[in-house]
Amino acid sequence: MTALLLVVSACATTPSPQPKLPIEAPEIVWQSHLKQMQALAEWQATLVIYGQDRGQKFKLRLLWVQQGERYQIKIKDFMGRTVAVLEGRPGDVSLKTSKGQHYRGDNADQLIEELLNLPIHISGMRYWLLGVPAPESSYQLLQLSADGLAVEIEQQGWRLNYMAYEQQSGQSLPRQAEFSIGDVSLRAKISQWQLPSVESSTS
């Protein structure tokens, strides 16, 4: 009788196995991530860009602040000195240099290409830095990781490759990425992200 009670007691206290939670497919995770990133109105990134344009190498430090359609990009040299500040919104862009020069135009890409000889696609980079394609045009290629994050994107003639991500305010954001088109190659290392947390709308 005692042995029987022990067996019954052991069976009663043995926990039943927990059902395994279903793993979401990468495409499902990606669609949710894409929607969140493309809708992200405010963010700030500190990054270094190692670039090569037609055989000429350069290195830039950027502080990019995005607030809705408005942005401010501080461009610094390798010593950390601000050489120019680009501010704008679609159709209205201004660039101020450390020498006191002030320029205005309606195309940010054209402005920094002509004045600073920098091949940076501003309208695309706003989204590409976040690891997603720009919503205003289609993309030709999208390769996802098992985690549902972009590994490679082709859009507007540019090839975007993402090597590393980090978690920030509940989101997966790129830490290292490469952007290339023709003879232009840009390698970005993002050292700091700031964006609104899930609980707060301010950073």
Side-chain angles (χ1 to χ4, degrees):
M1 179 63 72
T2 303
L4 178 60
L5 289 175
L6 288 174
V7 172
V8 173
S9 177
C11 292
T13 56
T14 301
S16 58
Q18 295 295 321
K20 293 184 178 180
L21 296 176
I23 300 175
E24 289 188 313
E27 293 79 7
I28 297 177
V29 177
W30 165 253
Q31 288 300 325
S32 176
H33 178 72
L34 174 65
K35 183 177 180 180
Q36 291 176 353
M37 291 296 98
Q38 288 185 338
L40 187 62
E42 297 184 7
W43 54 267
Q44 178 175 312
T46 303
L47 63 148
V48 177
I49 290 182
Y50 302 88
Q52 182 169 311
D53 181 13
R54 295 178 288 272
Q56 299 297 316
K57 295 183 178 181
F58 59 90
K59 177 182 176 181
L60 298 172
R61 299 180 186 273
L62 303 183
L63 175 59
W64 189 313
V65 180
Q66 189 76 38
Q67 294 181 320
E69 292 299 321
R70 294 182 176 273
Y71 56 85
Q72 180 190 78
I73 304 171
K74 291 185 178 180
I75 304 172
K76 303 174 182 289
D77 62 16
F78 67 97
M79 295 290 291
R81 297 170 298 196
T82 300
V83 296
V85 178
L86 183 71
E87 296 182 308
R89 57 185 178 178
D92 184 15
V93 187
S94 68
L95 186 145
K96 298 178 183 178
T97 71
S98 57
K99 298 180 179 179
Q101 299 163 314
H102 189 188
Y103 303 92
R104 203 170 196 93
D106 57 6
N107 187 304
D109 300 347
Q110 183 178 351
L111 201 61
I112 62 173
E113 175 74 30
E114 291 179 353
L115 299 177
L116 302 178
N117 196 29
L118 297 177
I120 300 177
H121 188 19
I122 301 298
S123 59
M125 285 284 185
R126 170 187 172 181
Y127 297 97
W128 298 345
L129 286 174
L130 297 173
V132 296
E136 67 267 13
S137 63
S138 61
Y139 51 85
Q140 292 68 53
L141 174 69
L142 172 63
Q143 181 181 344
L144 301 178
S145 69
D147 298 326
L149 300 173
V151 174
E152 184 176 353
I153 300 172
E154 286 187 16
Q155 186 176 40
Q156 300 176 12
W158 286 78
R159 182 183 293 270
L160 324 171
N161 292 280
Y162 299 92
M163 286 76 72
Y165 286 83
E166 69 170 14
Q167 287 293 317
Q168 179 68 35
S169 299
Q171 302 291 351
S172 296
L173 296 166
R175 170 69 75 174
Q176 296 184 36
E178 290 183 353
F179 313 118
S180 60
I181 182 172
D183 295 330
V184 176
S185 176
L186 307 175
R187 182 162 52 95
K189 289 189 175 182
I190 299 94
S191 60
Q192 184 177 23
W193 282 103
Q194 292 185 28
L195 65 160
S197 64
V198 176
E199 297 83 7
S200 173
S201 60
T202 59
S203 57

